Amino acid sequence: MLTFFVRDISRRKQAEQQQKRYAAELERSNRELEQFAYVASHDLQEPLRKIRTFGDRLQIKCGNKLDEAGSDCLLRMQNAAARMQSLIDGLLSLSRVTTQGQDFVAVDLAQIAREVVSDLEVQIERSGGRVEVDHLPTIQADPLQMRQLLQNLIANALKFHRVEVAPLVKVSGRFIHSRTQRTLNPPADDEQCRILVEDNGIGFEERHQDRIFGVFQRLHPRDVFEGVGIGLALCRKIVERHGGKIIAHSVPGEGSVFECCCRRSTSVRGRKEL
């Protein structure tokens, strides 16, 4: 009995030490993320701004004096600088999920979804699509990040639609709890909010499940679908900050379903680190 007790204490100490190592590694990772955000917003932005500024000046003052080859080179330079700016902006947005997240408050997801649909009105009209917002609950969350999450997912669903097939996007959500938590009266804190964004778009092979949530990962050429490939990575970061995970189910040519599971409630100040 004594041997078993000693072993149990030893296991607990090992677990505590491992947890401390994880916490230290997490703190180091967050410091590096903050440092990157500073570098990206200062050291990288300024030279890129000069490239774009002088490129624009060259176009205005000397554009009509350049031959076809020179004009093509200038255009390529300006396009590359614009893409670089988009990449930097995307990385900054990704880093700010944890470094500049707001406190968690009560967020009406249905209201957020309606506002997002209103913001995307031009894109919806241009695609001839429709967005249906079903019941969505209220959770404790970062309101700006919830808006960012829904806007990215809905905008993606509208963008990746099939040719000559109007996009249809359905947004819904409800509270769930795992099988281990299914008691007669489960505590509210044990529940999760599952948000679904479904579409009838082009879909993708599910073997690319992990890839689509990676930074700068694209399944389609840039000249077919615009974007820098950071939107879904940003969605994953947001969902993870809210104590959950995001997965996707899809069938090529039939559409996709993005499922986000977030905790119903978290600390009042929210989670500043992952």
Side-chain angles (χ1 to χ4, degrees):
M1 186 62 142
L2 180 60
T3 302
F4 176 79
F5 181 71
V6 172
R7 287 178 178 174
D8 184 57
I9 293 178
S10 178
R11 291 195 191 97
R12 289 184 180 180
K13 287 184 177 180
Q14 289 177 356
E16 290 175 357
Q17 291 174 353
Q18 187 176 28
Q19 188 175 14
K20 288 181 180 179
R21 286 196 297 270
Y22 285 154
E25 178 64 21
L26 192 60
E27 184 177 355
R28 182 193 64 79
S29 177
N30 282 327
R31 283 200 304 268
E32 291 179 350
L33 191 61
E34 291 178 1
Q35 184 179 13
F36 162 77
Y38 178 84
V39 171
S41 62
H42 294 82
D43 297 353
L44 294 181
Q45 296 278 31
E46 186 55 32
L48 180 60
R49 191 177 296 115
K50 286 185 178 180
I51 292 173
R52 300 190 70 179
T53 298
F54 283 107
D56 292 341
R57 288 182 183 178
L58 184 61
Q59 177 65 50
I60 293 172
K61 294 184 178 181
C62 306
N64 57 352
K65 299 178 182 180
L66 297 175
D67 58 16
E68 184 176 351
S71 296
D72 182 64
C73 288
L74 179 58
L75 179 62
R76 289 172 181 266
M77 182 190 75
Q78 290 176 310
N79 288 340
R83 286 199 301 273
M84 186 63 181
Q85 185 67 62
S86 296
L87 294 176
I88 292 175
D89 291 343
L91 286 173
L92 280 171
S93 296
L94 195 64
S95 67
R96 287 167 179 161
V97 170
T98 50
T99 59
Q100 296 185 19
Q102 294 189 347
D103 293 347
F104 285 15
V105 297
V107 176
D108 183 348
L109 293 178
Q111 178 63 27
I112 293 290
R114 288 192 292 269
E115 292 173 358
V116 167
V117 172
S118 178
D119 292 341
L120 295 173
E121 183 178 0
V122 173
Q123 185 177 352
I124 294 171
E125 291 181 355
R126 185 182 302 144
S127 65
R130 188 169 81 254
V131 179
E132 298 178 354
V133 178
D134 200 350
H135 173 75
L136 285 165
T138 295
I139 64 172
Q140 291 290 319
D142 181 325
L144 289 181
Q145 290 184 357
M146 284 295 105
R147 174 187 293 273
Q148 205 167 19
L149 172 68
L150 290 175
Q151 180 157 331
N152 283 355
L153 292 176
I154 295 173
N156 264 10
L158 292 168
K159 178 169 67 173
F160 295 104
H161 65 86
R162 287 176 284 167
V163 179
E164 298 181 355
V165 177
L168 173 60
V169 185
K170 298 181 180 180
V171 186
S172 61
R174 64 187 179 89
F175 288 125
I176 60 172
H177 44 273
S178 66
R179 293 179 180 177
T180 57
Q181 298 167 336
R182 288 177 184 172
T183 60
L184 291 178
N185 295 294
D189 288 351
D190 287 341
E191 288 187 315
Q192 287 191 327
C193 174
R194 182 171 67 181
I195 305 168
L196 298 177
V197 178
E198 309 172 59
D199 66 63
N200 63 341
I202 61 175
F204 61 89
E205 296 282 353
E206 287 200 1
R207 58 190 173 90
H208 297 306
Q209 169 79 228
D210 294 332
R211 181 182 170 190
I212 64 173
F213 293 107
V215 180
F216 301 143
Q217 294 297 311
R218 300 173 56 91
L219 299 183
H220 308 282
R222 188 170 55 245
D223 58 347
V224 178
F225 292 103
E226 62 179 9
V228 297
I230 205 168
L232 290 179
L234 186 61
C235 289
R236 181 175 66 177
K237 199 80 168 178
I238 291 173
V239 173
E240 287 176 348
R241 183 181 177 235
H242 287 75
K245 63 179 181 179
I246 180 172
I247 59 175
H249 309 283
S250 186
V251 176
E254 296 185 16
S256 306
V257 179
F258 285 85
E259 178 180 343
C260 310
C261 288
C262 303
R263 292 187 184 278
R264 175 173 183 166
S265 61
T266 316
S267 63
V268 174
R269 291 194 58 79
R271 296 172 58 179
K272 293 288 183 182
E273 68 283 342
L274 295 179

